[in-house]
Amino acid sequence: MHDDFTERGMGMKKIALFGGTFDPIHRGHIETALRLADALALDSVILMPTHVPPHKVKESLTPAADRLAMCRIAAEPYAKITVSDMEITRGGASFTVDTLTELSEQYPDTAWYLFTGADMFCTMRSWYRFADIAAMATLCTVPRDGTDGQRLREYAATLQQQGARCFVADAAVTTVSSSDVRERLASNEPIDGLLPDGVEDYIRAHGLYSTAAAQTGDRDEQFRAIIRARLGDYRYHHSLCVADEAKRLAKRYGGDEKKAYTAGLLHDIMKDTDPNTQLQILDDFAILLDGVERQVKKLWHARVGAVFIDKILHVGDAEIVNAVRYHTTGRAGMSLLEKIVFVADFTSADRNYPDVDEIRRLSDISLEETMEYALAYTIHDLLNRGQAIHPDTLAVYNELILAKMAGGQTHE
Ligand SMILES: [Fe+2]
Ligand SMILES: [Fe+2]
């Protein structure tokens, strides 16, 4: 790939803008910056933590001040890497084109380079005012591995046909992902040199990414605070009751009490979130609703809740995520934890409906009997109200009935 700095004056500086959430900044970022600075003989690379990226969910981001501080710590040892708070100070969602324009005013006589990660690079053409960006800067990226390089060079070729200047580095950088780093931190796993010197200390000192809670082993305290902020009084009280009931059922049926409590606490985390926001979260994580789900808004909160606790709260436990996901519809082949949360949602202390005493009585005898009763109740209710029944609900109901028949209990 070529760049055209030979066309530019000899006295011009060559500076790259490297934007990102840096949540947190990791060694892959630093390695990318150094690799490109070297390959392009740059004078400097400016790390630009974004305030709110347009494609991310706001709640997921660590406070800007912390992300900025971590970038500064990471950049410290390298003379060529600097950090700018321009986008954070500007606030709101920043467009790259505005940032480049402002930088060009601050640093005249500069040839600009724009770094993006491999995935973002391949979305370049859809960026706001792409043509202006391409006119202002050479677009640069680094492959994540050998096969990635080919894909990037092909995409770069299409950009060049539109007049853009591009640079794709030859060698791949170490693959590190910020989400992997966050998950490791949240579950207190070692992060073996994934973070630049000093960044891990900063994270631990400030209790970021749940590390403080992970160290004391009590994430539920944090989850309670999170649902308190997201739910109305009624739903918050219900969630605490379901958590207690799930724990009781786990004890009764030999399940994991701690997981049951956490899943109960989180099961309705999205119930009071407005539907448009729920759809936006599904969209952000490229999740498609099935036919019935699309029509029945009541089902969304389970699906969105599961994504939220998985991708944003980093609950780090697939069983808990599935217990939240299937707490409304159920499904065939439910795990013990899924059944416990499903039943607890019917039998929790705050519940008050015509059949609640019968369901509570059954819940002391058999989880499956309780499920069957609760499902029959739900299916009746949906039929009476002329509403669609999710196929997963029918599937678990049939499974329970067929298992009973196979067990010889219903021969007449
Ligand atoms: Fe629910
Ligand atoms: Fe609920």
Side-chain angles (χ1 to χ4, degrees), residues 194-206:
L194 296 177
L195 293 174
D197 291 341
V199 171
E200 184 177 355
D201 292 339
Y202 182 92
I203 289 170
R204 301 221 177 263
H206 292 78

Side-chain angles (χ1 to χ4, degrees), residues 269 301-311 321-322 324-325:
I269 187 164
H301 77 285
R303 204 65 205 279
V304 184
V307 173
F308 189 84
I309 68 167
D310 184 20
K311 308 286 188 198
V321 171
N322 281 334
V324 170
R325 174 165 176 181

